[in-house]
Amino acid sequence: MTRAEHGISRDDVSPNALKVMYRLNGAGFESYLVGGCVRDVLMGKVPKDFDVVTNATPEQIKGLFRNCRLIGRRFRLAHIVFGREIIEVATFRGHHSDEAKDTDAPKNKVRAKQDDQGQLVRDNVFGTIEEDAERRDFTFNAMYYSVADFTVKDFANGLDAIEKREVRLIGDPETRYREDPVRMLRAIRFAAKLQMTLHPETAAPIKNLAHLLQNIPAARLFEETLKLFLSGEGEKTFFMLHEYGLIAPLFPQIEPFLSDTSCREMQFIRKVLQNTDERINSNMRVTPAFLYAALLWYPLEEHAQRLQSESGLNAHDAFNIASGDVIAKQTQRIMIPKRFSTVIRDIWVLQQRLPKRFGKRAFQLLSHPKFRAGYDFLLVRGQIEGGKLLELAQWWTQFQHADNDKQRKLLNELRRTESSGNNNKRRKRRPPKRSPDA
Ligand code: ATP
Ligand code: MG
């Protein structure tokens, strides 16, 4: 496609990405923008980052840029760093089968490796642009924009997929999913984010292959889940993933709730995902810890109750032990970095502490560094469960916005209602008076 046909102009491209491509071209290499950025510009969206591919090897790229870092083991990549913006530059990737032609490939080429499930464990074979296009996941991700002649090379008919709003894998879907099961997550992510549907052949194998996600390293899955749920379309993505059987292998502990999406537990998750989407779409800060705390909340409650009734632990100890267990079990599938797991536990502990508001405690809780997250969490629980929990959340809504006088008043009122509640209880427990003639 020529400039007149595709309508991409240099104004749509990050000046740093342009710089990188001009430098590579100037040194006699080919270079292109590829993947999400080309797709997004063609769809009239603003790309979130710009990826470049070239026939220069990582070492040759490094030789051209002082601000270059080489990263990655599975795929070797160059990052060109411009302050806060990083332009990722990859070398054309080639075929990994033994029949692959290696005539044009650089000398330091290594064969890709597959494990016995067909999954690629190393993929550093360099190749031509045509081979690179075949190695990409979806047809709309295999379009290459060149600043040498301002053309777009559309190897897999990606433009057609954009027009039809269809997510379609390049090549044989089952093979491609086996090579890299994360592509199943990516298919759903793009469908939700780009308001597209899955091509029937791309959709068909997913349910049967969903279990392959168990073979993906937990650290990679953490990164992927961030992209899934913190993209501004988290709710839609979650329930679409569920439709394709992809939530259970990621979060085995919520599997018991998944069969009925209208149950309280799933409503809670839905509400938290909705709030997260709203926050992201109005440029507010979100933390993955909040989401993980929510996803694992009901498994935690259940596990804590079981521990309490089965091993006679007190509520406090049972809750603490259960918190550790639930997080440990989740990290077998999806790694949760320590900086987030401590926040998850803070949010949970606050759920235990927020009901206890007497004396100085209410003020201590207000100044807890994670009060806001703990309160927000309580509020959603209150909205879902109603009753006493909602009253408690509303009390905290009032209390945190009140001035000193009002706060004291709220605490006094609380003392009065609670102590009258206690009197009632005490009265009930008192043995009935014996009548003189008994
Ligand atoms: P986003 O806008 O969400 O960043 P993207 O398409 O740019 O979407 P990236 O994860 O940034 O997605 O990947 C960049 C490109 O690399 C993709 O467009 C695709 O061509 C290729 N790619 C990424 N992951 C895979 C994969 N698992 N298998 C094959 N190709 C992939
Ligand atoms: Mg990208």
Side-chain angles (χ1 to χ4, degrees):
M1 276 185 285
T2 63
R3 186 176 355 197
E5 290 162 318
H6 59 66
I8 298 184
S9 95
R10 271 168 293 177
D11 296 340
D12 301 319
V13 180
S14 141
N16 291 325
L18 292 175
K19 254 186 249 169
V20 169
M21 290 189 286
Y22 286 134
R23 169 105 35 113
L24 284 162
N25 295 354
F29 297 107
E30 283 173 56
S31 70
Y32 302 86
L33 282 179
V34 68
C37 56
V38 180
R39 176 197 71 218
D40 288 349
V41 172
L42 287 171
M43 291 184 76
K45 297 177 186 251
V46 179
K48 84 176 188 270
D49 46 35
F50 290 86
D51 296 328
V52 171
V53 275
T54 174
N55 58 348
T57 64
E59 284 71 22
Q60 288 169 327
I61 300 166
K62 193 162 172 56
L64 286 173
F65 298 92
R66 259 191 317 124
N67 47 338
C68 172
R69 280 194 314 242
L70 296 186
I71 60 146
R73 270 195 334 153
R74 203 163 148 279
F75 302 130
R76 283 237 295 152
L77 295 171
H79 275 179
I80 319 291
V81 185
F82 297 90
R84 296 187 61 175
E85 190 182 18
I86 294 177
I87 306 295
E88 194 170 283
V89 185
T91 308
F92 291 141
R93 228 161 264 159
H95 284 294
H96 48 83
S97 66
D98 284 331
E99 302 91 274
K101 293 192 212 88
D102 56 2
T103 42
D104 298 331
K107 275 194 225 78
N108 57 344
K109 137 172 192 157
V110 220
R111 289 245 170 265
K113 273 196 170 160
Q114 270 171 300
D115 67 9
D116 49 11
Q117 310 247 351
Q119 193 176 322
L120 289 176
V121 288
R122 201 175 63 210
D123 195 7
N124 265 326
V125 186
F126 301 137
T128 61
I129 188 168
E130 289 81 8
E131 289 169 330
D132 187 89
E134 281 174 43
R135 298 285 309 114
R136 296 199 171 256
D137 45 8
F138 302 102
T139 58
F140 51 52
N141 281 344
M143 294 187 280
Y144 297 70
Y145 174 72
S146 159
V147 286
D149 59 7
F150 308 112
T151 57
V152 170
K153 294 184 198 290
D154 179 4
F155 289 101
N157 212 358
L159 209 60
D160 181 58
I162 290 179
E163 269 156 28
K164 292 189 182 141
R165 307 201 81 80
E166 235 171 27
V167 178
R168 185 169 192 177
L169 269 172
I170 297 172
D172 171 56
E174 175 153 352
T175 312
R176 301 307 308 281
Y177 289 138
R178 284 189 183 279
E179 279 173 4
D180 182 4
V182 166
R183 290 174 186 149
M184 294 186 277
L185 302 178
R186 291 175 60 84
I188 307 296
R189 178 161 76 84
F190 289 127
K193 171 174 142 166
L194 306 172
Q195 271 109 30
M196 293 186 174
T197 52
L198 299 189
H199 185 275
E201 284 165 28
T202 295
I206 297 183
K207 274 190 189 153
N208 280 332
L209 300 178
H211 67 275
L212 293 176
L213 286 177
Q214 292 172 26
N215 307 330
I216 303 297
R220 182 164 178 223
L221 284 182
F222 177 71
E223 296 300 325
E224 289 300 328
T225 53
L226 297 186
K227 292 193 214 162
L228 291 169
F229 302 130
L230 303 182
S231 63
E233 290 288 354
E235 182 196 2
K236 197 165 153 198
T237 307
F238 182 93
F239 286 94
M240 229 175 138
L241 286 170
H242 172 47
E243 218 179 285
Y244 284 94
L246 293 165
I247 289 295
L250 295 177
F251 301 99
Q253 294 177 102
I254 64 174
E255 196 169 0
F257 310 126
L258 288 172
S259 55
D260 170 17
T261 49
S262 63
C263 70
R264 178 189 71 161
E265 290 81 359
M266 294 302 281
Q267 276 179 19
F268 177 64
I269 291 173
R270 186 189 288 278
K271 185 86 191 128
V272 168
L273 287 164
Q274 280 169 357
N275 292 352
T276 308
D277 287 346
E278 273 168 32
R279 289 181 70 100
I280 290 167
N281 295 325
S282 39
N283 290 319
M284 288 163 78
R285 245 177 51 86
V286 291
T287 165
F290 194 91
L291 199 61
Y292 273 88
L295 285 164
L296 299 173
W297 171 252
Y298 284 105
L300 165 65
E301 271 205 325
E302 264 194 32
H303 184 42
Q305 270 159 24
R306 206 176 321 119
L307 278 180
Q308 216 184 324
S309 61
E310 282 172 12
S311 33
L313 291 165
N314 66 40
H316 179 261
D317 290 348
F319 189 84
N320 274 339
I321 293 172
S323 300
D325 287 352
V326 167
I327 290 179
K329 198 154 177 210
Q330 182 58 53
T331 47
Q332 290 171 3
R333 288 291 159 83
I334 304 180
M335 194 266 287
I336 304 175
K338 185 101 189 184
R339 65 181 186 284
F340 296 124
S341 60
T342 52
V343 180
I344 296 174
R345 293 190 74 146
D346 282 342
I347 292 172
W348 287 346
V349 166
L350 280 167
Q351 304 312 299
Q352 298 285 93
R353 289 180 59 192
L354 286 169
K356 301 170 187 153
R357 294 156 285 172
F358 287 116
K360 285 199 202 114
R361 281 188 182 169
F363 295 100
Q364 284 167 351
L365 283 165
L366 266 193
S367 59
H368 188 289
K370 292 290 168 244
F371 170 81
R372 186 74 217 182
Y375 158 76
D376 284 342
F377 198 87
L378 178 71
L379 195 58
V380 188
R381 291 176 59 216
Q383 287 163 347
I384 298 300
E385 293 192 24
K388 281 258 179 309
L389 211 51
L390 184 58
E391 278 173 32
L392 176 65
Q394 285 166 343
W395 188 91
W396 277 107
T397 309
Q398 283 193 301
F399 187 75
Q400 66 183 304
H401 298 302
D403 58 25
N404 271 349
D405 281 352
K406 182 86 202 286
Q407 284 180 329
R408 233 169 287 133
K409 229 173 102 195
L410 281 167
L411 282 170
N412 284 337
E413 268 169 31
L414 184 71
R415 196 166 300 127
R416 268 200 303 280
T417 49
E418 295 272 313
S419 63
S420 70
N422 286 347
N423 284 347
N424 285 339
K425 264 186 228 151
R426 227 171 280 146
R427 230 173 278 139
K428 261 184 225 143
R429 256 186 263 122
R430 218 175 279 156
K433 269 192 192 137
R434 273 203 246 156
S435 58
D437 50 7

